[in-house]
Amino acid sequence: MAERIRKLTNSEVEVLARIIADTMTGSQMNEIFQECGVQDVSNESTKWKRIYYTFLARQEQDGASNSFLNFIKKESETGKVYQWPEW
């Protein structure tokens, strides 16, 4: 059994959700949710809010952030790297 990683704070989940949402389409998000065995329970249409509310609920269910961190890992394996704006 994998080590249970502490739950992230709401602020931590929000920051990560906002960053991750910018790196994928809604369809890609759906695929990764499915690959991770996570159901989108957010009832939201905004990508970052879908991620945020889904993983806040999942952390409460699991008592750990493993599912969210696995989602981030799967997303990073798609090969798309976050593009920071040019300053």
Side-chain angles (χ1 to χ4, degrees), residues 13 17 29-30 33 38-58:
V13 174
M29 184 184 311
N30 292 338
F33 277 145
V38 173
Q39 183 174 349
D40 180 355
V41 297
S42 68
N43 294 318
E44 294 284 343
S45 59
T46 305
K47 291 183 297 184
W48 78 264
K49 288 181 180 180
R50 289 177 60 198
I51 295 167
Y52 176 75
Y53 288 114
T54 295
F55 285 105
L56 282 184
R58 186 62 184 252

Side-chain angles (χ1 to χ4, degrees), residues 45-87:
S45 59
T46 305
K47 291 183 297 184
W48 78 264
K49 288 181 180 180
R50 289 177 60 198
I51 295 167
Y52 176 75
Y53 288 114
T54 295
F55 285 105
L56 282 184
R58 186 62 184 252
Q59 284 193 138
E60 286 304 312
Q61 176 186 326
D62 297 348
S65 63
N66 294 53
S67 292
F68 187 34
L69 298 176
N70 187 48
F71 179 85
I72 294 170
K73 180 178 180 263
K74 294 271 186 199
E75 187 279 331
S76 70
E77 291 170 352
T78 64
K80 186 170 181 182
V81 177
Y82 185 76
Q83 299 293 317
W84 290 100
E86 300 260 344
W87 298 97

